Each structure stands twice: as structure tokens, then as C-alpha cells.
Amino acid sequence: MSESQKSVLDALMLGMEMEKETFDFYVDAAHKTFNPEGRRIFRWLADSEETHYLKLAEIYKALDAGGSWVFYAGSTIELAPPGGEPPVGFETGDVEALRLALEIEQKGIDYFDDLLSKTTDPVGRTIVEALRREEEEHLRVISEKLHFLEGRFS
């Protein structure tokens, strides 16, 4: 195995760990929030991170076995429509969780940027770029929700 291949495998393993920790954070946040809108967003984020973890694990397994990149065009996890339940309260906890989520998603983007710099395979680059775009979408959704909540509490 070349040093380049080992570097990519190490980066994939790190990514799997990051996705697992992020999934756990979002599941925990969804269970703690009293706000249905916050719960909806945290569940969507958790589902997305789980999909990323599973794809990174599949790619890792294929590359570790001497195979090639396993194609990934992106996930199709839909953000559930708002349910219309009235918020119960304690949204300030959601604000702090969303601020942490912003940091987490930015780290995810930085991670995929780093992995992209180590990936020379064209299919691999396409996959990493798709994963990075999904992290950017997470960042956008979190930013919008945070902006809304911060406007309500300022």
C-alpha cells in the first residue's frame, strides 16, 4: 500500500469517527429540545450524518480491500415539513446547540477539504465533493434557523 493510499484510509477513518460523534450530538440534541422545529432539524442532521458515516465506511472497506472508490452522488434525505406543533419553550438551549452545530459542520467542511487535497482519483474527488456540498447545506440550514432564533431572543 502506498503512502498516499494509507493517507486516504487514515483520513476516511477520521471522517467516520467525526460523523459518528456528530450523529450522537444531533440525536442527543433532538432528545433534549422542547421545540418541535429544533427536533425536526436535529433529526434531519442526524440522519444525514448517519448516511455519511455509512458511505465513508463503505468506501474505506472497498479501498482497504484493494478495490476502488464506491460511487456516491449524494443523499436524498428530505427535511421533514414543519409539523405545526406549538413550541413548548427552552429555545435558548436550542440556540446553544445550533451554535455548536455550526462549529461541527464547519469542521466537517474543513475535513472534506483536507480529504479532497489527498484524493487524486477522479471518482473519489467527485464523492468527496458531494459529501462536502451536503455539509455546506447543513451549515446553511443551521445558520438560517440560528438567525431566526437569535432574532426572537435579542
Side-chain angles (χ1 to χ4, degrees):
M1 175 180 299
S2 74
E3 191 60 35
S4 174
Q5 290 168 318
K6 183 177 178 344
S7 177
V8 169
L9 287 176
D10 289 347
L12 287 168
M13 185 59 70
L14 175 64
M16 290 164 52
E17 291 171 13
M18 288 174 51
E19 297 292 347
K20 170 73 171 87
E21 290 171 5
T22 304
F23 169 82
D24 291 343
F25 173 79
Y26 290 142
V27 167
D28 189 48
H31 287 305
K32 288 181 179 176
T33 185
F34 287 96
N35 183 303
E37 178 67 9
R39 194 173 314 117
R40 176 178 78 95
I41 292 192
F42 288 130
R43 286 180 182 158
W44 173 72
L45 289 164
D47 288 346
S48 295
E49 299 305 329
E50 180 181 36
T51 299
H52 292 173
Y53 173 87
L54 293 171
K55 182 47 70 177
L56 290 174
E58 183 182 4
I59 293 167
Y60 181 93
K61 185 177 177 183
L63 292 177
D64 190 43
S68 59
W69 287 81
V70 179
F71 186 72
Y72 178 75
S75 69
T76 57
I77 297 172
E78 298 290 328
L79 178 59
E85 301 173 53
V88 178
F90 298 93
E91 287 90 349
T92 54
D94 292 347
V95 169
E96 185 57 32
L98 287 168
R99 286 183 185 137
L100 290 170
L102 278 177
E103 292 175 23
I104 290 169
E105 294 301 327
Q106 186 58 57
K107 286 179 184 174
I109 290 168
D110 294 344
Y111 160 75
F112 286 119
D113 283 342
D114 183 57
L115 182 56
L116 196 56
S117 73
K118 296 174 182 174
T119 305
T120 58
D121 181 275
V123 174
R125 290 185 64 79
T126 301
I127 293 166
V128 173
E129 288 167 352
L131 289 162
R132 186 187 188 287
R133 281 191 302 275
E134 289 177 10
E135 297 294 343
E136 287 175 333
E137 177 63 9
H138 297 168
L139 196 63
R140 184 192 65 77
V141 170
I142 293 166
S143 294
E144 286 178 6
K145 182 63 177 170
L146 184 59
H147 180 72
F148 172 76
L149 287 177
E150 287 178 331
R152 286 180 50 198
F153 294 112
S154 58

